[in-house]
Amino acid sequence: MQGLATMADLAAARRDFLAAQVAGLAPLDIVVVAVPRPPGDELLVRREDDGTLAVEVADRGPASPFPDAATTTLATLGFTRDGALWACGSPPADDAHAVGLVERVLTEVFAVDGATPLDVRHGSVRAEREAAQRLTALRATIEPVLAGLLGAPAPTDDDGDYVVDLGASRVFVAPRAMPGAPSIVRVFAITNAGVTMNAELGLFLARLNFSLTFGRFSLDADHQAVWFDETLLGEHVTGDELKFMVQMVAATADEWDDRIAQMFGGRTHAPAGSPEQAAAASAAEASKPGQGGYL
């Protein structure tokens, strides 16, 4: 009996502790509750801007998945899998409901008792949310400019970068907004792929860069590719500036890609719809580093 009473006391103390952690959450604050023993289960409680709470459970990896009984329990509790997370479908009614949900996940899904140690850490998603809002605003600035250039909305690639075919050049417009850093717009073309990598190519591009007013050529050694790009500050970019940079990158790429190919081999971007483009696409690299497909 003494052992049972002690376990009950530990469970009550844990619940009170978790209730205090949740009650102290300011808008966009999070508290992560983790089980330090393998497989390292953890869940998160986040207070949204409107005061509602979200509870999310990290899914286990394929090497040690949740047993069927645990996934059934998660579904019964209102969680649905969303990628690497199980998200609660509807917000808990209040703090007490959220704490009760956390307790049920701990005991019924993670199979821990009141005596099991837990790691608790706090954080915030405010910077990430603000970055996402800045990115949305940046896209709203970019899209009408590109639509004006193309006469139709610009398509996007798998990375969300805008793809702009101007003449013989393909230009990518890549908006980026990272937490704690200014948002940027990277405008670039991959002018050549499969080039011969040697010191002469590096020296040629360095000398060429010295003569340019805008933009720069660079080498992607991993993919034997030459890039031409320019970066703009997202908070201050204007429609006229963006239009000029897209046109400048396209014109500079068109001016130099054939010359680079003549001297150092490889292939260039072919005009959209041409047989050369279809042939190049079949041999293209799967992805550009962090930003989409190659020629």
Side-chain angles (χ1 to χ4, degrees):
M1 288 296 294
Q2 184 63 34
L4 292 175
T6 301
M7 188 64 70
D9 290 343
L10 289 171
R14 184 179 73 186
R15 185 182 183 91
D16 290 344
F17 172 77
L18 293 174
Q21 305 307 300
V22 172
L25 292 175
L28 300 183
D29 281 354
I30 62 173
V31 58
V32 178
V33 181
V35 183
R37 72 185 188 195
D41 290 323
E42 64 180 35
L43 58 83
L44 172 150
V45 182
R46 178 179 63 253
R47 194 177 300 279
E48 302 290 5
D49 262 332
D50 61 3
T52 61
L53 292 166
V55 181
E56 297 171 344
V57 177
D59 194 25
R60 290 182 182 176
S64 180
F66 282 124
D68 291 344
T71 59
T72 299
T73 299
L74 284 168
T76 301
L77 294 175
F79 289 89
T80 56
R81 183 179 290 166
D82 182 12
L85 294 173
W86 288 80
C88 190
S90 57
D94 51 31
D95 288 12
H97 184 196
V99 173
L101 196 56
V102 169
E103 280 288 335
R104 292 196 63 181
V105 171
L106 289 173
T107 57
E108 299 176 34
V109 179
F110 296 171
V112 300
D113 56 32
T116 302
L118 298 175
D119 287 336
V120 176
R121 59 186 186 273
H122 289 265
S124 173
V125 297
R126 181 170 297 280
E128 288 81 359
R129 292 290 180 84
E130 291 175 349
Q133 292 169 354
R134 288 188 283 117
L135 182 59
T136 299
L138 192 52
R139 288 187 178 278
T141 298
I142 291 171
E143 289 175 0
V145 175
L146 301 185
L149 278 172
L150 297 175
T156 56
D157 63 13
D158 290 342
D159 300 310
D161 298 342
Y162 300 97
V163 181
V164 182
D165 285 329
L166 292 180
S169 298
R170 168 161 290 182
V171 178
F172 295 89
V173 179
R176 297 287 184 267
M178 301 296 291
S183 58
I184 63 170
V185 183
R186 190 177 187 190
V187 183
F188 64 93
I190 304 171
T191 64
N192 303 78
V195 294
T196 300
M197 303 295 294
N198 54 33
E200 287 75 14
L201 174 59
L203 180 59
F204 173 81
L205 295 180
R207 286 175 171 169
L208 181 55
N209 283 338
F210 187 71
S211 69
L212 297 174
T213 303
F214 297 102
R216 61 165 188 168
F217 283 93
S218 56
L219 279 175
D220 174 8
D222 290 340
H223 295 82
Q224 296 180 275
V226 177
W227 290 43
F228 181 73
D229 71 287
E230 181 64 279
T231 301
L232 306 171
L233 282 175
E235 271 80 8
H236 305 290
V237 68
T238 65
D240 287 342
E241 182 182 19
L242 178 60
K243 179 180 178 181
F244 169 78
M245 284 301 172
V246 172
Q247 292 172 326
M248 181 274 298
V249 168
T252 306
D254 187 37
E255 179 182 0
W256 289 99
D257 57 357
D258 288 333
R259 302 189 206 184
I260 294 170
Q262 289 170 5
M263 290 185 286
F264 303 102
R267 63 184 183 274
T268 63
H269 175 69
S274 68
E276 292 82 2
Q277 185 197 42
S282 67
E285 297 287 350
S287 64
K288 58 187 189 300
Q291 312 209 53
Y294 264 82
L295 301 174

